[in-house]
Amino acid sequence: SAVISQKPSRDICQRGTSLTIQCQVDSQVTMMFWYRQQPGQSLTLIATANQGSEATYESGFVIDKFPISRPNLTFSTLTVSNMSPEDSSIYLCSVLRGGLYGYTFGSGTRLTVV
Amino acid sequence: AQSVAQPEDQVNVAEGNPLTVKCTYSVSGNPYLFWYVQYPNRGLQFLLKYITGDNLVKGSYGFEAEFNKSQTSFHLKKPSALVSDSALYFCAVILGDNFNKFYFGSGTKLNVKP
């Protein structure tokens, strides 16, 4: 399976600021995904990012709040913009390689907004 | 709407005893079912999956799960629990018409006591 490096692993941010989370994969992948895990809750898909095209956002998530970049087949960033305490969550990137058997998740970024 | 239910927020078992973590789903279409485990400060790790074929699937670390179509369930089991099994377990579903989106359950915290 793919190896994912996600940075930062955690951060504490002031409300109103933005944080960019990086996801680096050790091999080329077509599909990259960003998930949010709010405290005590399950994972929710934010968006799907394909290289060379705009990300596809799930209901309830918008590009202005969560802009995503996918400059190449091994890298993606998710920015959490104009943060509020409600954005405090774990954000995880995930990649798919090799069909249904090939989903891999990063270790996550634990974000606290104060 | 598609949904995955994990009715127990927490499961407590003694080491050496069998464990069961429950999962039921409500989806339209053919489901592909997964179990993931999340250790503290770690990403999700794949345990096992059901795609097709034998309803009883075996996965990592001695875990197994049984797909029950009539009861729409996919309970995770292990004959003899270890303290090191203590973690957060997520059941997830992918539908056959969209392999790019997981629907996750809310997670079950497994506590195995010595």
Side-chain angles (χ1 to χ4, degrees), chain A residues 4-62:
Chain A
I4 299 175
S5 173
Q6 192 172 331
K7 296 180 181 179
S9 59
R10 58 178 63 230
D11 206 342
I12 301 173
C13 301
Q14 297 290 325
R15 68 173 66 204
T17 63
S18 298
L19 176 72
T20 295
I21 302 168
Q22 299 180 1
C23 182
Q24 178 75 53
V25 190
D26 69 339
S27 57
Q28 294 183 343
V29 294
T30 303
M31 309 291 292
M32 294 183 77
F33 310 88
W34 287 98
Y35 283 84
R36 180 175 73 182
Q37 184 180 13
Q38 292 179 297
Q41 297 189 30
S42 186
L43 288 85
T44 303
L45 180 64
I46 297 172
T48 302
N50 291 335
Q51 191 267 336
S53 63
E54 281 197 4
T56 302
Y57 289 82
E58 296 296 308
S59 175
F61 298 97
V62 295

Side-chain angles (χ1 to χ4, degrees), chain A residues 39-103:
Chain A
Q41 297 189 30
S42 186
L43 288 85
T44 303
L45 180 64
I46 297 172
T48 302
N50 291 335
Q51 191 267 336
S53 63
E54 281 197 4
T56 302
Y57 289 82
E58 296 296 308
S59 175
F61 298 97
V62 295
I63 188 170
D64 289 346
K65 176 67 175 177
F66 298 101
I68 289 172
S69 77
R70 183 80 203 274
N72 57 53
L73 290 173
T74 63
F75 188 77
S76 178
T77 66
L78 169 76
T79 298
V80 186
S81 303
N82 188 24
M83 289 183 285
S84 66
E86 291 71 34
D87 294 320
S88 298
S89 296
I90 299 173
Y91 293 86
L92 300 101
C93 72
S94 172
V95 303
L96 172 61
R97 187 173 62 122
L100 284 174
Y101 309 97
Y103 281 98

Side-chain angles (χ1 to χ4, degrees), chain B residues 2-113:
Chain B
Q2 325 295 353
S3 66
V4 179
Q6 292 180 243
E8 302 153 318
D9 291 336
Q10 187 166 294
V11 170
N12 299 311
V13 297
E15 188 173 33
N17 283 359
L19 70 87
T20 298
V21 182
K22 296 180 181 177
C23 172
T24 59
Y25 61 91
S26 175
V27 300
S28 56
N30 291 325
Y32 300 98
L33 296 146
F34 297 75
W35 276 101
Y36 283 88
V37 59
Q38 186 178 40
Y39 296 99
N41 301 315
R42 302 280 294 277
L44 286 135
Q45 296 181 31
F46 169 79
L47 274 182
L48 51 79
K49 66 186 179 301
Y50 171 81
I51 305 298
T52 187
D54 193 347
N55 290 343
L56 182 65
V57 293
K58 294 184 184 297
S60 307
Y61 313 120
F63 284 93
E64 59 186 31
E66 184 166 13
F67 171 62
N68 188 317
K69 189 174 182 178
S70 63
Q71 297 185 6
T72 62
S73 67
F74 190 57
H75 301 330
L76 181 70
K77 298 183 179 184
K78 186 172 182 180
S80 178
L82 300 173
V83 173
S84 57
D85 292 330
S86 298
L88 187 58
Y89 290 80
F90 288 98
C91 181
V93 170
I94 286 178
L95 296 179
D97 60 348
N98 184 359
F99 293 150
N100 297 332
K101 184 174 181 179
F102 276 106
Y103 297 91
F104 281 91
S106 53
T108 298
K109 189 166 187 287
L110 174 66
N111 296 313
V112 182
K113 298 179 180 178

